[in-house]
Amino acid sequence: MASTDSNILLSLAGVCRDYLSGETQVRALNNINLTIKRGEFLAIMGQSGSGKTTLMNILGCLDTPSSGSYSVDGHQVNALNVKELSSLRLKTFGFVFQRYQLLANYSAQENVAMPAIYGGMEKSQRLALAKKRLAQLGLTERSGHRPSQLSGGQQQRVSIARALINGAQVILADEPTGALDSASGQQVLALLKQLNRDTGTTVVLITHDALVAQQANRIIQMKDGHIISDSSQHQLPSDTPAPLGNCTPAAPLQTNTKQHIKCYPRISLWESLCLALGSLQANLFRTLLTLLGIIIGVASVVTMMAIGDGGKQQVLQRIEAMGTNLLQIRPGGRNIRASGEIATLTMEDAQFLTQLPGIADVSPEREARTTVRFGSNDYSGRARGITPAYFSMRNWEIAQGVFINNDDVERYSSVIVIGATVAEQLFPNTQNPIGEYVLMNNSFYQVIGTLKAKGASAGGRDIDDEVYIPITTAQLKLFGRPYLSSIIVKVSSTDLLPTIEATVTQELKRRHGREDFMVRNTATLVEAISDTQDTLTWMLGSVAAISLFVGGIGVMNIMLVNVSERRREIGLRIATGAKPSDILRQFNIEALMVCLLGGLIGVGLGLLISLVLQQAAIAVAFSLAPPLLAFTTSLLVGVIFGYAPAHKAASVNPIQALAEE
């Protein structure tokens, strides 16, 4: 039970602390009853294994008793939650460690100011206060130096200044002179005595050295987990150690008559960002290696999806060159061959279709393989009999000369328009073909125009290896029969395609008496190819996303290594008042910032690679979605893969961490 004496600051009653060593239970503290008053300077003395360090950890709220009760300034520690314990450490205790425990990448001033971060103190205010504390300890000229630039005595004075930054009521000094020469040790002890004398700060000195202990006003000697003497009470009875399991039961918790402990909120997001940036900068090379995995992953996603979208657009452009509001009618149906007498599409069918509502234009066609000759140059390509409507419906553009017109169709003119591939083969060396005569199927045709190149069709066929003559001339001179290879119908609106398709099918079936034709909808073809290209694009993106996933695993692995290497730093932050949630947030932000920076650089790199590929004539399409998707995914990678290391950091045992070499 907590004492009612208002002068008593720390009170332990029947405190025991047990540990498991393998399968053996070891008792480090056994029935400790101790009260420490405000303003005392006492030394807890004992050899290694006597339990003095365990007692210090319990006094500083870094550890909890296995049984018994402990109160700090009237607050029952047993009843405090994690936030309240952190706040109690923050304002009540200051730790001075044997190995100083200074952060190597912080200056002396920043080391001193570090605990004040968790008290919510503004940066300018805490740095000014840290400089003042250093000045009080004679380290004004050393405030900007890092620990490696300070002597052992100076480092220990920095750790004392750090212990005082939050106005600690109790200084817990664990072997503060153990790593110092005798002169530096005496200076540190003199400082502690002066603090106790001038400010009334309670000082608890942990030592195994009798000469050091003699500097205190009260000496408590421990052995095998017991207090065997207390100079304030003269010689204590030499009790036989109590057997395991016979510790005094914990005192029942009493209603605390004092004010509740002020729980400080989590440090601000800005402070967390600053801490994370500082940590990333301190391990710059490792940070760059971690960034590299995310950069490659994000850049791959952006580039692959840009290539996929570019390929899709290229294919769709070629299909759209044929027209997206077209119906193609071809002879033949189920179990009917599209040749001979049964190929029954005729010019009369084409003329009939022009009268149907909703149809903007009709282009009858007849095609066959043929050989075209000019001089000594031959070219085997495709000849197509057409009407003038064909060129507008197929979005052809003229390179030289003119298109076939209605007069050419009515007069059975022997004129020809040739594709770019045919023109290149028949008229090499940039010879102008306009006005020249070519021979085809034993008849001469005058070249009146050449078409601009379009390249390959969606199926990979060269569109430019064709020649075009009037449909009437083709039926008379080239084919000798009145049948058509196809009829292309242009619908006035794409929305009407399904309706017009049904109407055309019904009317032609009525005219022919049977369905000896096939109607194809180019919009359906566009949709099918678009879906296929989308699938391929996402497949490329998924393959690239694997590298982003691997980069995320790399982030997690590096962060886990980072946590392992920074255990002492984490333990120090917790000991000086950081809450587990502060540590969790800091490490989460570190992982998130790595992925944020990696995502931004990766998006930029991916766009740059895409531009280079575009200059190399590779089809690439830019849109907002792929970079946004890749960047968002990189942030999710940071959140998901950063949580495990952050949780591990927040779960670090400060006692074990600070004891590590």
Side-chain angles (χ1 to χ4, degrees), residues 275-288:
L275 289 174
L277 277 174
S279 298
L280 294 175
Q281 187 176 5
N283 298 282
L284 188 58
F285 184 69
R286 178 184 297 162
T287 301
L288 291 176

Side-chain angles (χ1 to χ4, degrees), residues 352-630:
F352 169 77
L353 292 175
T354 59
Q355 302 171 13
L356 295 179
I359 293 179
D361 212 342
V362 175
S363 173
E365 302 174 18
R366 181 72 187 268
E367 62 175 311
R369 298 295 302 181
T370 188
T371 298
V372 185
R373 174 175 295 176
F374 176 75
S376 60
N377 298 323
D378 290 345
Y379 185 79
S380 179
R382 188 177 299 272
R384 190 182 297 270
I386 50 90
T387 61
Y390 176 86
F391 297 108
S392 61
M393 292 170 67
R394 296 292 190 177
N395 297 320
W396 275 109
E397 294 182 16
I398 199 77
Q400 291 178 296
V402 296
F403 290 121
I404 294 169
N405 57 35
N406 288 324
D407 286 342
D408 295 326
V409 175
E410 293 174 1
R411 295 174 181 175
Y412 295 77
S413 300
S414 296
V415 293
I416 190 170
V417 174
I418 59 178
T421 302
V422 180
E424 183 180 345
Q425 295 296 321
L426 294 182
F427 301 95
N429 304 321
T430 66
Q431 181 180 351
N432 187 358
I434 303 302
E436 300 290 348
Y437 286 86
V438 297
L439 180 66
M440 183 172 62
N441 199 31
N442 298 319
S443 297
F444 284 97
Y445 297 83
Q446 186 180 26
V447 179
I448 62 171
T450 60
L451 299 174
K452 287 187 177 180
K454 279 197 174 184
S457 67
R461 184 176 64 84
D462 185 4
I463 301 176
D464 301 316
D465 73 338
E466 295 186 351
V467 298
Y468 304 91
I469 59 177
I471 183 67
T472 51
T473 308
Q475 288 179 331
L476 178 66
K477 293 185 177 181
L478 194 60
F479 304 116
R481 302 182 66 84
Y483 301 115
L484 302 175
S485 299
S486 65
I487 300 174
I488 306 300
V489 175
K490 183 178 181 180
V491 180
S492 57
S493 172
T494 304
D495 297 335
L496 295 175
L497 273 173
T499 303
I500 300 301
E501 182 178 358
T503 302
V504 167
T505 302
Q506 180 181 353
E507 291 297 328
L508 287 180
K509 187 176 179 181
R510 181 180 60 79
R511 283 175 59 84
H512 294 190
R514 59 175 178 167
E515 193 170 344
D516 56 356
F517 56 88
M518 296 177 291
V519 181
R520 293 179 180 176
N521 186 335
T522 55
T524 305
L525 176 63
V526 170
E527 184 179 353
I529 292 180
S530 180
D531 289 343
T532 302
Q533 288 295 123
D534 284 341
T535 302
L536 292 174
T537 299
W538 283 107
M539 185 181 298
L540 287 173
S542 299
V543 171
I546 293 174
S547 63
L548 186 55
F549 179 79
V550 172
I553 295 176
V555 170
M556 183 171 66
N557 288 337
I558 295 294
M559 291 299 294
L560 285 171
V561 171
N562 199 19
V563 170
S564 298
E565 291 187 356
R566 293 167 59 189
R567 280 174 57 83
R568 288 177 66 183
E569 175 195 338
I570 297 166
L572 176 64
R573 291 184 183 277
I574 294 174
T576 53
K579 295 179 288 297
S581 59
D582 293 326
I583 302 298
L584 181 71
R585 183 190 233 187
Q586 178 184 340
F587 278 82
N588 267 328
I589 288 177
E590 285 185 26
L592 194 60
M593 289 189 71
V594 166
C595 293
L596 174 69
L597 292 173
L600 289 173
I601 298 172
V603 167
L605 180 62
L607 293 175
L608 179 62
I609 293 173
S610 300
L611 284 172
V612 172
L613 293 176
Q614 190 178 55
Q615 294 301 315
I618 295 176
V620 172
F622 297 99
S623 64
L624 182 62
L628 187 61
L629 176 65

Side-chain angles (χ1 to χ4, degrees), residues 3-219:
S3 173
T4 57
D5 187 346
S6 62
N7 200 36
I8 292 178
L9 184 58
L10 310 177
S11 178
L12 297 93
V15 169
C16 295
R17 184 64 174 100
D18 299 331
Y19 295 99
L20 279 178
S21 179
E23 297 182 355
T24 305
Q25 192 173 28
V26 177
R27 175 153 293 166
L29 295 179
N30 200 348
N31 279 323
I32 299 297
N33 296 285
L34 176 65
T35 58
I36 300 174
K37 295 183 178 181
R38 300 176 192 278
E40 281 198 272
F41 187 164
L42 70 151
I44 299 176
M45 181 181 170
Q47 298 301 315
S48 296
S50 63
K52 61 184 187 300
T53 299
T54 302
L55 178 58
M56 185 198 76
N57 290 332
I58 288 178
L59 289 174
C61 297
L62 294 176
D63 199 2
T64 54
S66 301
S67 61
S69 65
Y70 173 43
S71 66
V72 177
D73 199 15
H75 297 282
Q76 285 280 4
V77 174
N78 311 54
L80 302 181
N81 58 35
V82 173
K83 289 183 178 180
E84 290 171 330
L85 282 173
S86 297
S87 298
L88 190 64
R89 284 196 300 269
L90 183 68
K91 286 297 184 181
T92 306
F93 299 102
F95 291 90
V96 179
F97 302 99
Q98 178 180 355
R99 291 195 295 270
Y100 325 130
Q101 302 293 5
L102 301 178
L103 301 181
N105 57 312
Y106 279 24
S107 67
Q109 186 178 14
E110 291 168 335
N111 267 286
V112 173
M114 187 265 292
I117 294 174
Y118 304 104
M121 194 180 295
E122 293 291 335
K123 183 177 181 180
S124 58
Q125 185 181 355
R126 66 175 180 260
L127 288 177
L129 184 57
K131 193 169 185 179
K132 180 180 177 181
R133 291 283 182 263
L134 288 170
Q136 290 171 343
L137 297 178
L139 291 173
T140 303
E141 302 299 325
R142 295 288 184 174
S143 61
H145 289 63
R146 296 198 174 186
S148 59
Q149 300 170 308
L150 303 174
S151 67
Q154 290 170 336
Q155 290 186 59
Q156 194 63 289
R157 278 187 280 168
V158 171
S159 69
I160 293 172
R162 180 182 62 198
L164 297 171
I165 189 71
N166 283 328
Q169 300 179 58
V170 182
I171 297 294
L172 296 172
D174 185 14
E175 301 280 7
T177 62
L180 302 177
D181 58 70
S182 57
S184 297
Q186 288 299 321
Q187 289 179 352
V188 168
L189 290 173
L191 280 172
L192 293 175
K193 290 180 69 174
Q194 184 181 355
L195 283 171
N196 173 254
R197 182 180 65 251
D198 295 347
T199 65
T201 303
T202 302
V203 178
V204 179
L205 188 64
I206 310 298
T207 184
H208 68 279
D209 189 338
L211 293 176
V212 172
Q214 288 174 5
Q215 303 294 320
N217 299 326
R218 176 184 175 189
I219 300 175

Side-chain angles (χ1 to χ4, degrees), residues 330-338 342 514-518:
R330 298 187 67 84
R334 292 181 180 179
N335 302 318
I336 299 176
R337 293 180 300 167
I342 58 175
R514 59 175 178 167
E515 193 170 344
D516 56 356
F517 56 88
M518 296 177 291

